[in-house]
Amino acid sequence: MSQTDIFSADSLLVIEKNTAKGFHNDYILFIPKGTKLHKQTFLLVEPNNTGKLSDSIEVHKEHAIFLATKNSVGNNISTELKIPILVPIFPRPASKPLIYTHALDRDVILEKSTNLKRLDLQLLEMINDARNVLKTMNIIVADKVFMSGFSASATFINRFSFLHPAKIKALAIGGFNGILMLPQNEINSVKLNYPIGTNDFEKLFKQKFDFETYKSIPQFIYMGELDDNDAVQYDDAYNKKERKIINDNIGATIQKRYLECQKVYLKVNINATFKTYEKVGHWTTSNMNLEVIKFFLAQMKQNGK
């Protein structure tokens, strides 16, 4: 392959918000050296997860750039598979501490302020915009994206995949407090509203949950056996009622919940591979990153790329 067929150097772009196009926050686009030109490839999307509250968008921007360009699972996938990665710069305001934007919680979906409203739809518009930006650079990406996330960004992707399953080629998520959104309306006769289940899905999103498309998405879902980072017990992640439903019906501990969610997913034939890593807590190892990379590589090979 000649040098003219590949992207010659790592490139970081900060794309400014475009309210006319429907995204009210900036996003990062990182294109690794070696990305193929003129041939269809995939765009990887990893939602940003600052890990703390701040009213300064610069704080969130700095973390998003670090995620896109340094030692994260997403950056590992991007640089090894030589595919571009998009990271949104969504705020997580200290002035609105219960709106857990980076996990796409219920408060986000109900939020009406322009820059925080429907972050899932904003991300879709960012993806559309990035596709056009990349096209001008002779990088052609498929209509469906890869998604990768860890911790809050894993939770974001899990919920996003229920809302927009037709947009996702494959996803890999880890470190998500052991709780996944369940493709059912109730458990033990208790109604499960978003983001625990699908009971009020149609009312909330004005669309039906497309279960057939959802269950066909290849998913790699992983947890460390020592992971005890439990967002369920905090008010920003879940309110008191949601917490009680989860603790009483799905599991009061991360590992118990994780087993219960696996049973639910496998019972209804969701195309998911579950993996638990021994002697690992709330972090990833090079071995875990490698398995995630191999998972996405297999998806690329299926497409003859």
Side-chain angles (χ1 to χ4, degrees):
M1 190 182 289
S2 71
Q3 287 301 111
T4 54
D5 293 329
I6 59 169
F7 205 70
S8 59
D10 288 347
S11 181
L12 175 73
L13 306 175
V14 180
I15 310 294
E16 292 190 357
K17 65 185 178 186
N18 189 323
T19 53
K21 289 184 178 176
F23 56 98
H24 306 277
N25 296 280
D26 300 352
Y27 70 88
I28 305 293
L29 200 53
F30 176 72
I31 306 154
K33 178 182 178 180
T35 298
K36 286 181 184 175
L37 303 178
H38 311 291
K39 284 190 175 179
Q40 187 175 286
T41 186
F42 286 95
L43 175 64
L44 175 68
V45 177
E46 179 149 347
N48 63 318
N49 175 24
T50 309
K52 63 184 175 186
L53 299 155
S54 176
D55 286 327
S56 166
I57 198 64
E58 287 305 313
V59 169
H60 302 298
K61 180 180 180 180
E62 191 181 308
H63 276 261
I65 290 173
F66 184 83
L67 192 155
T69 60
K70 297 289 190 295
N71 192 22
S72 68
V73 186
N75 177 262
N76 270 228
I77 299 163
S78 173
T79 51
E80 287 297 318
L81 298 184
K82 306 196 183 328
I83 60 175
I85 179 172
L86 183 162
V87 180
I89 308 175
F90 289 140
R92 190 182 168 195
S95 52
K96 293 185 175 183
L98 295 183
I99 300 181
Y100 201 164
T101 50
H102 295 170
L104 200 63
D105 72 348
R106 188 177 182 86
D107 297 309
V108 181
I109 300 302
L110 298 175
E111 175 66 20
K112 296 288 188 272
S113 65
T114 307
N115 71 324
L116 298 179
K117 188 179 176 182
R118 288 302 299 267
L119 295 184
D120 60 310
L121 298 179
Q122 290 195 46
L123 182 56
L124 285 182
E125 295 305 334
M126 290 175 178
I127 291 167
N128 290 336
D129 189 67
R131 190 175 287 118
N132 292 328
V133 171
L134 290 166
K135 199 173 179 182
T136 65
M137 304 163 85
N138 296 314
I139 298 166
I140 316 299
V141 294
D143 289 340
K144 294 186 179 188
V145 298
F146 288 158
M147 296 193 84
S148 166
F150 186 82
S151 198
S153 59
T155 300
F156 186 113
I157 290 168
N158 176 236
R159 294 165 179 176
F160 182 92
S161 66
F162 272 68
L163 300 179
H164 310 288
K167 305 292 186 184
I168 304 170
K169 178 65 184 170
L171 67 86
I173 54 174
F176 44 85
N177 319 294
I179 181 74
L180 297 167
M181 190 165 163
L182 301 180
Q184 58 198 51
N185 295 341
E186 57 178 57
I187 190 169
N188 304 330
S189 300
V190 178
K191 294 273 189 278
L192 299 179
N193 287 340
Y194 180 91
I196 308 174
T198 53
N199 178 60
D200 66 342
F201 191 95
E202 207 168 330
K203 185 181 173 190
L204 204 54
F205 300 107
K206 310 290 186 279
Q207 67 186 59
K208 281 191 164 73
F209 169 45
D210 184 357
F211 181 59
E212 288 307 308
T213 303
Y214 175 77
K215 73 177 188 179
S216 69
I217 302 168
Q219 304 190 44
F220 183 70
I221 303 176
Y222 57 98
M223 288 285 294
E225 67 163 354
L226 305 177
D227 194 333
D228 60 358
N229 186 71
D230 193 358
V232 170
Q233 313 311 334
Y234 294 89
D235 290 340
D236 56 354
Y238 295 92
N239 64 32
K240 200 179 285 185
K241 186 181 176 185
E242 292 169 338
R243 185 176 305 119
K244 183 168 170 51
I245 290 171
I246 292 168
N247 287 336
D248 291 354
N249 297 280
I250 303 170
T253 63
I254 286 176
Q255 300 302 330
K256 187 168 187 291
R257 254 180 252 142
Y258 181 41
L259 288 172
E260 191 59 37
C261 289
Q262 287 183 56
K263 283 182 203 163
V264 170
Y265 273 46
L266 296 174
K267 187 179 179 184
V268 294
N269 299 316
I270 287 168
N271 185 15
T273 301
F274 291 93
K275 180 117 188 201
T276 303
Y277 290 90
E278 294 178 2
K279 298 176 184 170
V280 174
H282 194 65
W283 60 80
T284 65
T285 64
S286 53
N287 176 46
M288 291 160 78
N289 290 356
L290 185 59
E291 292 205 31
V292 172
I293 290 164
K294 283 180 176 175
F295 164 75
F296 284 118
L297 179 60
Q299 299 303 319
M300 291 174 81
K301 283 183 173 173
Q302 277 183 13
N303 282 263
K305 301 290 176 287

